[in-house]
Amino acid sequence: MSQPTPRDTGSIRAPDEDPSAKWPHYTSTTAQGRWEEDILGVGYSYTTLPMGHDDEGELCATLVRYLPPESAPENFQPATTSRFTRLVERFWPLAAAQRTTRTPPSNSQQPTADDHRGFVLAVHGWSDYFYNTEMAAHWAARGFSFYALDLRRYGRSLRAHHLNPGFTSSLDEYDADLDAALAMIRSLEGNDAPGVCVAHSTGGLIASLWVNRNPEAFDALILNSPWLEMQGSYLVRYAAQGVVEPIARRRPRAKLHLPELDNYWRSLSRLAHGYWDLHPLWRPQIAFPVTAGWITAVMAGHREVARGLDIRIPILVLTSKTTHLGTSFDEAMLHSDSVLEVNVVRERTLKLGREVTNAVINGSMHDVFSSLPQPRAAAYAAMDRWSSGYVRGLLARDNARAKGHAQR
């Protein structure tokens, strides 16, 4: 399980202590609507969301769910099917439906009006996937159902035939992933359950654009160091567009020759100076190669944010107090954002919507919820304070609405 454990940040962990060595390179594609055991361990399961095919082959997104053991229905067990059984179920869906003892909770098991709760959907960033079990436990302890989405060509959605992990030529492509994830969640939680989206870095950009186009999707948006503009300023973006866009039009999968740095991985991984067990393919030491099509898609998203969005739900943005960029790792990267320029990010947040709160977390890293213990605790405390007003108010509103419907 990927969860933080206190340790000396200067030590290096021996490879034979790394649980990721036992994890599969790729997850199996589940039958539609089926939940399989996840690598994160007890309480975690995943289901595949089919996304058709492209010229490389099968595409999918993956929805991860956390059910604390004490809250799982008595008849629910994540599937532990054999490879042969999964193959049969893939071509004969009725076989999956007949195994009723392993089905996920039905709508009849949704919370009643008296214990109506919300849900959280987490969206990862570039060259990343969902691994933060502490975040799942945090929200579950506050009565929320927790889900996380691994987007197409990332993490659990990555397949051996994907030659360009993380590739897209348009951020709009992820609309289908988010639509499918939200439809699955709504089928389990109910159409009236209030929802909170927690999104990190590039995922924060993707989620912001999607919520702007889908104003009824969530009730609150929490952005963890969202990548809203290029490092430096929009002037860097203008210059980069002139060089990269002509390449992207002709060869969108062309890989750009950029410095290969592992500074951020070193700040995260328990094999280096961090606290987390990371999958070697899903969150590799050297990030996925940057393609011309992908960076052009990101810059198009930045351009849209710069023009101004009109997100109408409350937004919380969490960023580190300082930025520390460099070509080699040093200890300051454990206490600063080593990926984005935080002042540029905070300036761009004013373009997101009508009600934006900025929380500056002293000593946090790029992912504030994967930082060292003290700033990580400060980030959760800031999120709790904000949620106590905005999200608790949403719950009270929806509980009152649900009770009103029940009395009719």
Side-chain angles (χ1 to χ4, degrees), residues 76-363:
F76 173 69
Q77 297 177 349
T80 55
T81 53
S82 67
R83 183 176 300 177
F84 173 75
T85 303
R86 287 195 295 268
L87 183 63
V88 170
E89 291 180 352
R90 187 172 181 182
F91 293 97
W92 186 30
L94 181 61
Q98 289 173 338
R99 290 196 289 121
T100 56
T101 59
R102 294 181 181 270
T103 56
S106 66
N107 287 341
S108 63
Q109 294 159 329
Q110 292 173 18
T112 64
D114 290 332
D115 60 2
H116 193 64
R117 61 180 179 173
F119 67 86
V120 171
L121 176 63
V123 183
H124 60 82
W126 167 246
S127 193
D128 208 353
Y129 71 104
F130 174 71
Y131 59 83
N132 195 324
T133 56
E134 184 180 70
M135 177 184 288
H138 180 91
W139 283 104
R142 284 148 182 79
F144 285 80
S145 300
F146 184 87
Y147 300 85
L149 178 63
D150 280 8
L151 298 165
R152 62 184 68 193
R153 304 186 189 93
Y154 286 93
R156 297 163 182 84
S157 307
L158 196 59
R159 298 293 183 262
H161 58 260
H162 288 153
L163 303 180
N164 298 282
F167 173 79
T168 188
S169 58
S170 172
L171 299 186
D172 293 353
E173 185 179 33
Y174 299 121
D175 286 10
D177 303 40
L178 288 157
D179 287 342
L182 196 57
M184 174 64 76
I185 294 170
R186 291 292 184 192
S187 74
L188 299 172
E189 302 296 327
N191 291 327
D192 294 327
V196 178
C197 181
V198 181
H200 171 55
S201 197
T202 311
L205 174 63
I206 293 166
S208 296
L209 297 172
W210 188 75
V211 169
N212 187 57
R213 294 191 295 269
N214 298 270
E216 303 297 322
F218 295 104
D219 297 275
L221 179 62
I222 298 175
L223 301 176
N224 167 11
S225 303
W227 190 16
L228 302 179
E229 184 55 274
M230 294 294 287
Q231 288 87 331
S233 74
Y234 66 93
L235 296 175
V236 175
R237 171 163 50 85
Y238 285 175
Q241 285 173 184
V243 174
V244 177
E245 284 185 353
I247 301 173
R249 284 194 292 269
R250 297 193 308 273
R251 295 187 298 138
R253 287 183 166 82
K255 295 179 175 65
L256 304 183
H257 297 287
L258 301 174
E260 294 187 342
L261 307 177
D262 66 354
N263 300 337
Y264 186 48
W265 178 89
R266 286 180 174 273
S267 69
L268 290 174
S269 175
R270 201 168 0 201
L271 294 178
H273 304 282
Y275 279 72
W276 304 90
D277 296 317
L278 302 176
H279 195 290
L281 293 182
W282 304 351
R283 170 65 265 191
Q285 185 168 352
I286 302 296
F288 298 155
V290 172
T291 60
W294 176 79
I295 194 63
T296 298
V298 169
M299 289 190 293
H302 291 164
R303 186 165 59 245
E304 192 172 344
V305 172
R307 285 197 291 260
L309 306 184
D310 187 26
I311 297 174
R312 302 183 184 187
I313 58 175
I315 304 168
L316 171 66
V317 181
L318 302 110
T319 51
S320 179
K321 183 178 181 180
T322 58
T323 291
H324 186 85
L325 306 177
T327 57
S328 60
F329 178 82
D330 66 64
E331 291 288 325
M333 293 177 177
L334 297 173
H335 311 284
S336 304
D337 192 319
S338 61
V339 178
L340 301 180
E341 293 195 35
V342 292
N343 289 330
V344 173
V345 171
R346 287 194 283 267
E347 180 181 356
R348 270 290 175 260
T349 63
L350 302 179
K351 295 280 193 175
L352 290 177
R354 304 180 180 187
E355 200 163 3
V356 181
T357 303
N358 269 283
V360 177
I361 310 301
N362 190 28

